[in-house]
Amino acid sequence: MDIDWTSEDHAFRARVRAFLKAELPSNWDEISRHGPGSREQTEFSLEFCPKLAEAGLLVPHWPLEWGGGDRPAWEHFILGEEMWAAGEPRGGQYMNVNWIGPTLMRFGSEEQKALFVPQMAAGRAIWCQGFSEPDAGSDLARLRTRAVRDGDHYVINGSKIWTSYAGMAKHCFLLARAGTGDDKAGIAIFLTDMSTKGIEVRSIPSLIGHGDIHEVFFTDVRVPVSMRLGDEGEAWSIINYSLANERVGIPRYEFASRVLDQMVDELRRRGMAEDPVMQVRAGSAAAACEAARLLVYRTVDKRARGEAIGAEASLARVAVAEADHIVTDFGMEFLPDAFCGTDHTAFVAHHERAIVTGIAAGATEIHLGLIARRWLGLPKGD
Ligand SMILES: Cc1cc2nc3c(=O)[nH]c(=O)nc-3n(C[C@H](O)[C@H](O)[C@H](O)COP(=O)(O)OP(=O)(O)OC[C@H]3O[C@@H](n4cnc5c(N)ncnc54)[C@H](O)[C@@H]3O)c2cc1C
């Protein structure tokens, strides 16, 4: 893998930075302090993403026929790095760009694609992901929300939990059990309109942001059969495709390494630059960020070549979570006062985001298990 950026890549990054500088308002820190799922940030994303789309910067890597620019997968990653490091002005719409849109383009019916993909490419679609349930998180195959066929509809009953962005989402990428068995084969995907009668959304208060996570209850919710994505038995392979994209979707190492640089600058200002213990710890944190970056780049490289991504996604995911935690631990140890008080500094923002790294999009322990089996070839434990 050649890891040098081309002059074209540098120019693209400069264009994205110039766009952010021009479009983020002076009160952006205030808007973004409550996280990507807050009402403020979601509303902002509905102004910001259409402008991004108009500039050809929302979905450059998508095919031309679906509003993209047929650009290399690398541009998608450069964009993701800059957006995440800037506080994610796309709000929850990053999910459409990273995996919901590509999944629909690949597996959706003509009707589904025409209905949903152009809205996403235009930057006007808020979706949520209805996977986890109170008794089905890591072990997703245990999900119990049920979809029963009734003529040309399914009737859905059950509940989801930890659903990001559900408070303002117009649609849900919803998993429910349509078949009779209790296994993966019985699961189906429903592209569900969140305004359908019988859906109730309750916000869960959390440390990581206002309005970010929710419980969603489904009582006799009628979803047309035409809104089932793929066949009933096909859902698990579609989900695996989606998750491979989602796992390396957020380039957390970029914000982590920028925050680490700011921490080191602050320590220099405080006259601590020559502390050897601090230097060793700062060096370890920088190395962790770069290791995470390179492991993610390896998956992008495979994607750019059209190759399937396997356990590399888990390796990258674990390294990204490690880097996030090492940087926040470094800050807590050497700059503890910077995390106190009410100022929402970049250090605090990073700490809040790092809290959930290693839980959302699959717990670290699950990825370590996948690495053991799929990368190291170890047998499955009991
Ligand atoms: C901020 C945030 C946003 C989220 N957003 C969404 C969303 O939008 N949509 C959605 O569907 N879900 C979402 N989730 C849920 C997330 O996917 C789950 O929290 C995650 O899959 C873990 O599931 P769980 O919480 O049920 O924990 P559990 O699966 O109960 O795990 C608890 C602990 O046990 C460990 N464990 C479990 N099984 C094993 C095993 N086989 N081997 C070793 N250790 C194991 C886990 O690693 C973990 O430490 C979100 C979570 C967070 C924190």
Side-chain angles (χ1 to χ4, degrees):
M1 176 176 85
D2 177 2
I3 52 163
D4 271 351
W5 294 113
T6 63
S7 54
E8 216 181 329
D9 295 329
H10 282 300
F12 182 75
R13 193 182 288 278
R15 217 180 122 214
V16 176
R17 287 189 180 176
F19 185 91
L20 284 166
K21 196 160 178 231
E23 295 299 338
L24 290 186
S26 54
N27 64 339
W28 169 241
D29 284 348
E30 194 43 43
I31 294 173
S32 61
R33 75 171 287 167
H34 297 307
S38 66
R39 179 162 292 275
E40 295 88 331
Q41 202 154 329
T42 308
E43 280 168 359
F44 179 78
S45 86
L46 290 167
E47 284 171 33
F48 178 81
C49 288
K51 291 184 198 164
L52 206 54
E54 220 159 277
L57 294 175
L58 184 65
V59 289
H61 58 300
W62 284 16
L64 278 172
E65 69 165 310
W66 292 113
D70 262 336
R71 304 291 304 158
W74 290 105
E75 288 196 0
H76 169 215
F77 260 78
I78 292 171
L79 255 171
E81 287 180 351
E82 295 300 321
M83 294 293 152
W84 180 252
E88 196 46 276
R90 297 172 300 180
Q93 293 198 59
Y94 77 86
M95 291 204 307
N96 307 344
V97 175
N98 288 358
W99 68 269
I100 303 180
T103 303
L104 294 184
M105 283 186 270
R106 178 146 173 185
F107 299 101
S109 66
E110 291 311 315
E111 181 193 358
Q112 291 165 351
K113 287 192 266 195
L115 202 56
F116 301 125
V117 178
Q119 281 284 311
M120 292 185 185
R124 300 175 198 283
I126 308 290
W127 280 66
C128 62
Q129 169 191 343
F131 286 18
S132 306
E133 297 184 2
D135 292 318
S138 301
D139 194 358
L140 195 54
R142 287 178 61 196
L143 66 86
R144 287 204 299 235
T145 293
R146 194 156 279 285
V148 176
R149 183 83 181 249
D150 179 22
D152 55 4
H153 281 73
Y154 283 90
V155 181
I156 299 184
N157 281 285
S159 70
K160 297 287 165 180
I161 195 164
W162 314 125
T163 321
S164 301
Y165 319 119
M168 292 186 70
K170 296 276 180 282
H171 290 91
C172 181
F173 192 98
L174 174 68
L175 304 189
R177 189 166 295 290
T180 45
D182 273 346
D183 56 358
K184 295 172 182 171
I187 297 174
I189 302 167
F190 298 94
L191 308 173
T192 305
D193 184 332
M194 289 292 282
S195 64
T196 314
K197 196 168 151 239
I199 299 181
E200 187 196 345
V201 178
R202 288 187 209 151
S203 179
I204 302 175
S206 87
L207 270 177
I208 58 156
H210 291 183
D212 206 277
I213 43 181
H214 306 81
E215 285 179 285
V216 187
F217 299 90
F218 298 83
T219 310
D220 294 333
V221 173
R222 294 180 72 80
V223 177
V225 171
S226 62
M227 289 300 117
R228 189 190 65 219
L229 181 66
D231 287 333
E232 279 186 18
E234 214 189 340
W236 204 252
S237 57
I238 300 178
I239 294 164
N240 276 327
Y241 170 85
S242 306
L243 290 178
N245 283 304
E246 192 202 11
R247 277 172 186 154
V248 290
I250 300 182
R252 293 173 182 273
Y253 53 81
E254 182 65 28
F255 188 46
S257 75
R258 290 189 199 185
V259 164
L260 178 65
D261 287 347
Q262 291 174 29
M263 288 171 174
V264 169
D265 284 346
E266 179 59 24
L267 287 163
R268 271 201 198 97
R269 265 194 297 278
R270 296 184 185 192
M272 290 175 65
E274 288 176 22
D275 177 339
V277 176
M278 186 281 284
Q279 288 187 354
V280 167
R281 295 286 302 280
S284 303
C289 291
E290 289 316 296
R293 181 192 301 281
L294 291 176
L295 285 166
V296 169
Y297 286 179
R298 184 159 66 176
T299 68
V300 184
D301 185 52
K302 283 193 101 173
R303 191 179 301 164
R305 295 171 201 229
E307 293 173 22
I309 303 170
E312 302 94 326
S314 291
L315 279 172
R317 178 83 198 165
V318 171
V320 167
E322 287 275 319
D324 239 3
H325 291 150
I326 289 173
V327 169
T328 208
D329 289 350
F330 174 79
M332 290 276 182
E333 184 171 348
F334 293 97
L335 294 162
D337 55 297
F339 292 83
C340 302
T342 52
D343 278 359
H344 198 257
T345 60
F347 300 169
V348 174
H350 178 265
H351 175 60
E352 286 172 356
R353 294 191 208 178
I355 290 172
V356 301
T357 319
I359 306 174
T364 293
E365 292 78 9
I366 299 303
H367 288 296
L368 291 173
L370 290 172
I371 294 166
R373 292 196 300 281
R374 296 186 186 163
W375 191 264
L376 299 173
L378 296 174
K380 193 171 191 309
D382 289 330

